């Protein structure tokens, strides 16, 4: 019997057990009640309330502007919709890098005010102290290495990371640091598949890939990208499972026509 079909509630322990049983973990982002409900009912293992909400929900160019209050609003909406999936919430830029006390305060706010099951942070050795302090309060932490969008101004571009030895070596070492600190999983974003597979085999916790090939413990995509709601973004790793923007625009165009032609509402749609 597979673990994922047998659990009532996905926990961090379930995810670690899934890795050891060779069961792949399915994770998607969500930022609101209605989509989170569909994801949970469909059987997703993990819902990430990503700071990609900054791009997808708020229309900013980067993930940097979103605030802790914004994230709490999105996360609380997602948690209300969820009965099975583990909900993981991104700590936004500027709420954990400065000092570990502030990191803990931010993480506690997320856990207290949203009811989520874990938080996610970007980076390795630089944020080790913050990760340890959050973990010491009993808050599960997911790491995030490779293309970490909160550092986009340092990278300058969204190209594949860790293709050269020094950056690949740092990523290997950061993954070990996060795993040894006690993180329950690590997102690996846009790195060579061979490196992602090697890192996955070198640590006992699961890795969740986005543009990191198939040798990882699970996959994550941004919901609005995989549904084809967003249009401009089409990296090689993105598989679009739907062209929802066309369907939505079609439905809205039909509605506009029906209103203008007085075809809506009809006899049966009024009191
Ligand atoms: O914010 C986000 O959506 C993420 C995923 C891309 C992993 O961090």
């Amino acid at each position: 019997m597979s673990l994922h079909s047998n659990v009532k509630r996905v926990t961090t322990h379930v995810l670690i057990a899934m890795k050891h049983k060779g069961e792949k973990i399915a994770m998607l982002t969500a930022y609101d009640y209605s989509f989170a409900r569909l994801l949970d009912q469909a059987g997703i293992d993990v819902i990430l309330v990503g700071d990609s909400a900054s791009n997808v929900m708020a229309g900013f160019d980067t993930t940097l502007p979103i605030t802790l209050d914004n994230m709490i609003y999105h996360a609380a909406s997602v948690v209300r919709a969820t009965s099975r999936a583990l909900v993981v919430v991104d700590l936004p830029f500027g709420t954990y890098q400065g000092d570990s006390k502030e990191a803990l305060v931010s993480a506690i706010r997320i856990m207290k005010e949203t009811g989520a099951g874990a938080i996610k942070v970007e980076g390795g050795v630089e944020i080790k102290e913050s990760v340890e302090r959050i973990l010491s309060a009993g808050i599960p932490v997911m790491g995030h290495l490779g293309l970490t969008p909160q550092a986009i101004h340092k990278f300058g571009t969204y190209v594949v990371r860790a293709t050269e030895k020094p950056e690949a070596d740092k990523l290997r070492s950061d993954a070990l640091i996060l795993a040894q600190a006690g993180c329950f999983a690590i997102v690996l974003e846009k790195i060579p598949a061979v490196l992602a597979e090697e890192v996955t085999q070198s640590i006992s916790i699961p890795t969740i890939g986005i543009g990191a090939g198939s040798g990882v413990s699970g996959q994550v995509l941004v919901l609005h990208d995989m549904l084809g709601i967003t249009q401009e973004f089409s990296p090689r790793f993105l598989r679009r499972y739907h062209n929802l923007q066309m369907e939505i625009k079609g439905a809205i165009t039909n509605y506009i026509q029906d209103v203008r032609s007085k075809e809506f509402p009809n006899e049966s749609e009024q009191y």
Side-chain angles (χ1 to χ4, degrees):
M1 172 81 81
S2 63
L3 271 168
H4 73 267
S5 61
N6 213 16
V7 295
K8 286 210 161 59
R9 184 102 218 180
V10 179
T11 64
T12 57
H13 302 278
V14 170
L15 299 180
I16 292 167
M18 283 174 75
K19 173 177 181 172
H20 294 130
K21 269 193 97 178
E23 279 181 35
K24 296 284 186 182
I25 298 163
M27 172 161 133
L28 282 171
T29 64
Y31 321 100
D32 70 284
Y33 177 87
S34 301
F35 269 124
R37 194 139 185 264
L38 296 175
L39 264 59
D40 196 56
Q41 288 171 352
I44 200 79
D45 299 311
V46 186
I47 298 180
L48 173 66
V49 185
D51 59 359
S52 49
S54 181
N55 310 89
V56 176
M57 294 281 105
F60 289 113
D61 283 343
T62 71
T63 59
L64 275 64
I66 199 160
T67 65
L68 188 57
D69 284 337
N70 294 156
M71 290 303 294
I72 287 171
Y73 168 78
H74 288 298
S77 310
V78 167
V79 169
R80 281 193 288 276
T82 312
S83 64
R84 181 186 171 276
L86 175 71
V87 178
V88 181
V89 184
D90 264 333
L91 282 192
F93 177 67
T95 65
Y96 63 95
Q97 295 95 338
D99 85 66
S100 62
K101 259 193 198 159
E102 191 190 355
L104 179 58
V105 170
S106 306
I108 287 177
R109 276 202 65 199
I110 298 264
M111 300 302 281
K112 244 187 198 310
E113 296 177 41
T114 74
I119 60 99
K120 176 164 85 59
V121 285
E122 297 182 4
V125 65
E126 314 78 11
I127 57 155
K128 181 171 179 266
E129 203 183 300
S130 292
V131 167
E132 285 170 345
R133 197 152 192 161
I134 296 168
L135 285 164
S136 74
I139 299 171
V141 178
M142 176 181 271
H144 185 157
L145 299 171
L147 177 60
T148 47
Q150 291 178 13
I152 188 58
H153 293 300
K154 180 179 84 179
F155 297 143
T157 146
Y158 286 96
V159 292
V160 184
R161 303 308 314 174
T163 52
E164 304 292 332
K165 192 171 180 312
E167 198 175 327
D169 284 346
K170 180 176 182 316
L171 192 142
R172 288 184 186 96
S173 144
D174 283 344
L176 280 178
I177 287 169
L178 293 174
Q180 280 163 5
C183 288
F184 70 91
I186 303 174
V187 168
L188 297 175
E189 180 162 352
K190 216 167 176 184
I191 62 169
V194 174
L195 176 62
E197 183 164 7
E198 184 201 319
V199 168
T200 302
Q201 286 168 7
S202 74
I203 55 178
S204 61
I205 57 171
T207 55
I208 313 288
I210 173 163
S214 60
V216 286
S217 322
Q219 300 290 332
V220 58
L221 285 174
V222 169
L223 182 68
H224 292 61
D225 295 337
M226 62 85 78
L227 289 178
I229 298 174
T230 46
Q231 297 164 54
E232 307 79 17
F233 183 67
S234 41
R236 184 201 297 199
F237 67 75
L238 174 59
R239 185 179 293 181
R240 288 199 200 279
Y241 285 82
H242 220 303
N243 188 352
L244 218 49
Q245 57 108 354
M246 231 176 67
E247 293 203 20
I248 292 172
K249 277 189 201 159
I252 293 167
T253 308
N254 290 344
Y255 168 76
I256 294 169
Q257 276 168 2
D258 287 352
V259 170
R260 289 186 179 149
S261 65
K262 303 181 186 152
E263 205 284 316
F264 175 79
N266 63 26
E267 284 288 314
S268 67
E269 290 161 332
Q270 56 194 344
Y271 302 98

